[in-house]
Amino acid sequence: MPHASALLVIDMQNTLVAIAHRAAETVAAIAGLRERARAAGVPIVTIQHRGDGLEPGTEGWRIVPELAPAGDEEVVHKTSADSFLDTGLDKTLRALGVTEVVVTGFATEICVDTTARQALSHRYDVVLVVDGHTTSVRPDAGDYAAPDRSIAHHNEIFRHLDFPGRSIRVLPASEVDFAVLS
């Protein structure tokens, strides 16, 4: 099977982006990736969570306008941190001939991490976009790592994650070249 990428945009919904660390910068990085993916003919799959506070059809549930999927793009609805669990994501990616996912979105340590790891288990190569994922704003003190530390931690973990037979790369958005990936 020839190598083919897809851009995953995870949970970039109004309610979640409103509480996101570096929201504007992350949205801009993903928007740039979307533009380059479309230009290269790379499929974009938007993943949209539903649950408490994210009820379908509400303003908070909607994808932020800058990242709203085009009519010809796939949208996958999920109810857990795992974008593959009880969804059509794997079937959608297989139908598109995808072998590698470029992972972006919210929240770094929950949905982004879980989906990236599940992509590996589903036999996809992974590119984690360093500046294309974020987490919630929170105080530096407390049980959670500060947002910048959490993001850096996950980027570093993926740089050293060993998954036999799979390629894992951690790249800034500026270094993601869809012409090379596809």
Side-chain angles (χ1 to χ4, degrees):
M1 176 183 286
H3 187 71
S5 298
L7 175 63
L8 299 186
V9 179
I10 303 168
D11 297 350
M12 294 300 288
Q13 295 162 255
N14 289 321
T15 291
L16 301 175
V17 173
I19 63 167
H21 173 67
R22 299 182 307 117
E25 295 89 339
T26 305
V27 168
I30 298 170
L33 286 167
R34 282 179 47 79
E35 202 172 286
R36 294 186 354 245
R38 282 190 69 77
V42 169
I44 301 164
V45 179
T46 299
I47 299 165
Q48 193 171 24
H49 193 85
R50 65 176 194 254
D52 291 340
L54 294 169
E55 289 81 15
T58 64
E59 191 58 30
W61 175 77
R62 288 186 178 83
I63 303 298
V64 295
E66 301 90 334
L67 303 176
D72 62 342
E73 293 174 9
E74 299 289 336
V75 178
V76 172
H77 299 277
K78 67 179 184 66
T79 58
S80 77
D82 179 355
S83 298
F84 288 90
L85 182 64
D86 297 329
T87 72
L89 180 57
D90 189 48
K91 184 177 179 181
T92 295
L93 295 173
R94 300 253 178 245
L96 293 168
V98 171
T99 60
E100 176 174 72
V101 292
V102 178
V103 180
T104 68
F106 182 91
T108 296
E109 59 280 280
I110 304 171
C111 299
V112 170
D113 178 80
T114 303
T115 298
R117 289 174 191 260
Q118 286 301 314
L120 292 165
S121 290
H122 281 82
R123 303 194 182 282
Y124 296 98
D125 294 331
V126 169
V127 175
L128 180 64
V129 182
V130 170
D131 49 348
H133 65 94
T134 191
T135 190
S136 58
V137 172
R138 51 188 173 244
D140 287 339
D143 291 335
Y144 286 107
D148 282 329
R149 285 195 46 82
S150 183
I151 293 165
H153 172 82
H154 279 79
N155 288 337
E156 196 61 21
I157 291 293
F158 273 84
R159 282 186 185 97
H160 299 282
L161 193 61
D162 184 23
F163 214 96
R166 301 277 55 89
S167 168
I168 304 167
R169 293 180 293 149
V170 181
L171 301 172
S174 64
E175 292 182 20
V176 175
D177 183 351
F178 289 108
V180 172
L181 296 177
S182 295

